[in-house]
Amino acid sequence: MYASITARTTLRAPSHLREPDMTTWEYLTTPLLIHNTAAILNNWGKQGWELVQVVTGPEGGLVAYFKRPTGGGAANAGLGAAETAARQFEGQQ
């Protein structure tokens, strides 16, 4: 009768030598109305979006680019906010 013994050891580097987990991001673009800039930016900021850049859009208006870590906020929360911003942009509020 033979016995088999298996030992498994996992070696890990000390925590100060490990690479941090890589953050993944989701992105959003939205029109930015000049007369309502602060309200639009604050609305997105409350939902966890960070402003990355504002550029002139293809039709002359301003476009804001945002990012946030994936998993931030409720699932698909950005979709409803994007719809609200689009209605505001079109003057439907």
Side-chain angles (χ1 to χ4, degrees):
M1 186 168 167
Y2 295 97
S4 175
I5 299 174
T6 303
R8 189 173 295 214
T9 303
T10 303
L11 299 176
R12 294 190 67 169
S15 61
H16 69 282
L17 297 177
R18 287 187 219 134
E19 290 186 28
D21 292 333
M22 190 168 99
T23 302
T24 56
W25 301 92
E26 59 181 329
Y27 298 90
L28 175 105
T29 58
T30 186
L32 192 57
L33 303 176
I34 292 177
H35 69 277
N36 205 13
T37 305
I40 293 170
L41 295 175
N42 287 333
N43 180 45
W44 289 111
K46 288 176 187 174
Q47 295 180 42
W49 293 96
E50 178 183 348
L51 179 66
V52 175
Q53 182 176 11
V54 176
V55 298
T56 303
E59 297 175 10
L62 296 177
V63 178
Y65 287 79
F66 295 88
K67 71 175 184 177
R68 71 176 175 189
T70 56
N76 296 325
L79 297 177
E83 182 181 349
T84 300
R87 281 197 310 270
Q88 290 176 342
F89 182 72
E90 295 168 356
Q92 298 175 5
Q93 298 184 2

